[in-house]
Amino acid sequence: MAYKITLIPGDGTGPEISEATVRVVEATGVSIEWEVQEAGLDAAEKYGSVLPDQVLESVRRNKVAIKGPITTPRGGGFRSVNVALRKALDLYACLRPAKSYPGVRSRYQDIDLIVVRENHEDLYAGIEFERGDPAIRAVSEICETNGFPAIREDAGLSLKVISEFGTQRVARFAFEHARRYGRRKVTAIAKDNIMKFTDGLFFAVARKVAEGYPEIQYEEMLVDNMAMQLVQKPELYDVLLLPNLYGDVLSDLCAGLVGGLGVAPGANIGDEIALFEPVHGSAPKYAGQNKVNPMAMMFSGVLMLRYLGEGQAADRLENAMATVISEGKSLTYDMKPSRDDPTAVGTSQVADAIIEKLK
Ligand code: NAD
């Protein structure tokens, strides 16, 4: 029986890399019925919303989705569709593997890290007050009553919120993932020496969850130290568990360790629903040029196949991609030694080369 999966091609270069990804996933032989759904700028023109209801309904029904990037215009307009999707579907865990493949240009080899980032809370919860908002005065008065300094009148305010509920479920996700894939260690990362009641709570809850997984080593690290450690000794780490803001920053650092955005896959996962997507954005300046690298979305497809329980197909696709990378021929400009390398191929030719290896 075919899996029914929602496919959101996105905008900018999204449709091109989605098309290439669909072709390589299908070439593994796994039978998939794609339910294509539009979201983003084009959907806004057609349906009056960047995230039409039918998109959410489709993902809720199928439980598994894969999407290309979606543009978020700067300065007003609408809030990010990507964030809206994660919130509306309660996708609380962001999963970002960072793995080295021979042939990808990078300062490091043999990196195999998994970043698990909490997706809803922390300073990214969006609870913010603009400078001059009377609410800031009210908060300032509460601060003063509790013996803290007043908030300056010319300040803006963003609230950092970390709960037991939010931390517990993302910590469980990290440990379950570690157990399922035979990983040896989970490192929780925060800054509890400064933020005792938010980051301190994050550590306390993660520590408690760790007790349920005695076969997996657990440790805690301060985020500033961790930034240095990851650059100096990345091989010491395995699964990294972080609150939202630190997770955002360090997951990009980890992507940088293994060759950057062109090969960085991701997933946003909740209790019942999973949405797979590349880490990079819509790279609009290259839209329609058959130019950008489809590998980040293809590796997201590998994650999706694993999530579906199609481990063999996932391994075959990953190996075919690894072979194409190590041969160094059928690669897009960003993976070549120089950006204007005349041997660079286009998005769809990368898919062709991978499909050839899958035969
Ligand atoms: P971007 O990731 O689109 O581009 C950053 C740089 O990386 C650019 O030089 C781009 O050309 C290059 N790049 C990106 N993907 C590439 C690929 N597959 N192959 C080769 N080169 C690639 O980031 P940006 O320019 O900051 O964002 C563009 C738009 O995408 C913005 O509207 C942003 O909000 C949105 N965005 C969406 C998502 C998402 O859908 N999840 C994520 C990040 C950014």
Side-chain angles (χ1 to χ4, degrees):
M1 207 185 69
Y3 295 100
K4 224 171 175 190
I5 290 174
T6 303
L7 170 69
I8 305 169
D11 55 32
T13 53
E16 299 158 56
I17 59 170
S18 297
E19 198 260 345
T21 301
V22 163
R23 287 206 288 130
V24 298
V25 169
E26 286 183 346
T28 64
V30 174
S31 174
I32 295 176
E33 193 184 318
W34 306 97
E35 203 170 285
V36 179
Q37 293 288 342
E38 287 175 78
L41 293 174
D42 298 341
E45 278 176 22
K46 261 199 205 164
Y47 307 106
S49 164
V50 286
L51 184 54
D53 287 345
Q54 66 261 29
V55 181
L56 292 173
E57 281 159 21
S58 168
V59 183
R60 286 200 182 102
R61 201 170 44 241
N62 296 328
K63 313 259 186 270
V64 179
I66 184 161
K67 72 176 269 295
I70 294 175
T71 307
T72 309
R74 285 235 165 91
F78 51 85
R79 285 184 87 103
S80 161
V81 177
N82 308 300
V83 174
L85 266 167
R86 289 168 208 159
K87 289 213 163 131
L89 300 167
D90 198 16
L91 308 176
Y92 55 81
C94 176
L95 177 73
R96 288 197 183 167
K99 187 170 167 184
S100 306
Y101 292 93
V104 178
R105 279 176 306 113
S106 161
R107 289 172 184 274
Y108 299 83
Q109 283 90 42
D110 299 328
I111 305 263
D112 188 7
L113 294 162
I114 293 179
V115 179
V116 175
R117 160 188 167 193
E118 199 283 324
N119 241 350
H120 292 337
E121 300 199 316
D122 198 359
L123 276 164
Y124 284 13
I127 310 175
E128 293 198 288
F129 299 98
E130 196 174 0
R131 164 189 180 155
D133 190 316
I136 301 183
R137 255 314 347 106
V139 176
S140 180
E141 278 162 23
I142 296 172
C143 290
E144 285 184 279
T145 324
N146 285 278
F148 296 110
I151 298 172
R152 285 181 59 93
E153 300 237 328
D154 56 358
L157 183 66
S158 301
L159 288 189
K160 169 156 171 148
V161 180
I162 289 189
S163 71
E164 178 177 353
F165 171 79
T167 307
Q168 200 171 56
R169 59 185 189 164
V170 74
R172 276 210 195 107
F173 174 85
F175 279 97
E176 283 297 322
H177 193 85
R179 180 177 272 173
R180 182 165 170 201
Y181 293 101
R183 313 291 297 215
R184 69 196 148 85
K185 180 164 85 169
V186 172
T187 305
I189 299 156
K191 184 105 178 139
D192 68 327
N193 52 338
I194 306 293
M195 283 160 286
K196 298 179 175 39
F197 304 130
T198 46
D199 287 11
L201 180 70
F202 187 84
F203 276 155
V205 175
R207 206 176 298 143
K208 189 89 191 128
V209 170
E211 288 171 9
Y213 301 82
E215 79 280 17
I216 298 164
Q217 202 189 326
Y218 171 74
E219 67 181 2
E220 293 167 2
M221 294 282 287
L222 295 180
V223 63
D224 41 356
N225 182 20
M226 194 65 199
M228 185 182 71
Q229 296 279 332
L230 280 171
V231 171
Q232 288 190 323
K233 299 176 233 166
E235 68 282 0
L236 296 184
Y237 302 95
D238 190 351
V239 177
L240 311 180
L241 167 65
L242 305 102
N244 208 341
L245 169 64
Y246 310 140
D248 189 18
V249 177
L250 288 197
S251 57
D252 270 27
L253 188 152
C254 291
L257 295 178
V258 296
L261 287 177
V263 289
N268 294 289
I269 301 182
D271 285 331
E272 290 195 345
I273 297 174
L275 174 75
F276 298 84
E277 62 176 333
V279 169
H280 64 72
S282 55
K285 66 181 173 199
Y286 295 128
Q289 295 177 27
N290 187 38
K291 182 156 180 170
V292 295
N293 192 350
M295 289 208 169
M297 187 158 175
M298 290 175 173
F299 278 125
S300 307
V302 171
L303 293 180
M304 183 184 79
L305 287 170
R306 286 228 164 83
Y307 180 88
L308 291 171
E310 296 288 346
Q312 269 188 347
D315 288 346
R316 284 183 61 232
L317 178 52
E318 186 180 13
N319 291 338
M321 291 177 67
T323 308
V324 168
I325 293 172
S326 68
E327 288 176 355
K329 281 190 286 195
S330 300
L331 300 176
T332 46
Y333 72 97
D334 56 308
M335 292 183 85
K336 294 282 184 178
S338 105
R339 287 177 83 83
D340 35 45
D341 190 315
T343 67
V345 303
T347 311
S348 62
Q349 286 70 42
V350 175
D352 295 341
I354 294 166
I355 291 166
E356 204 49 47
K357 302 288 176 206
L358 281 166
K359 280 182 182 160

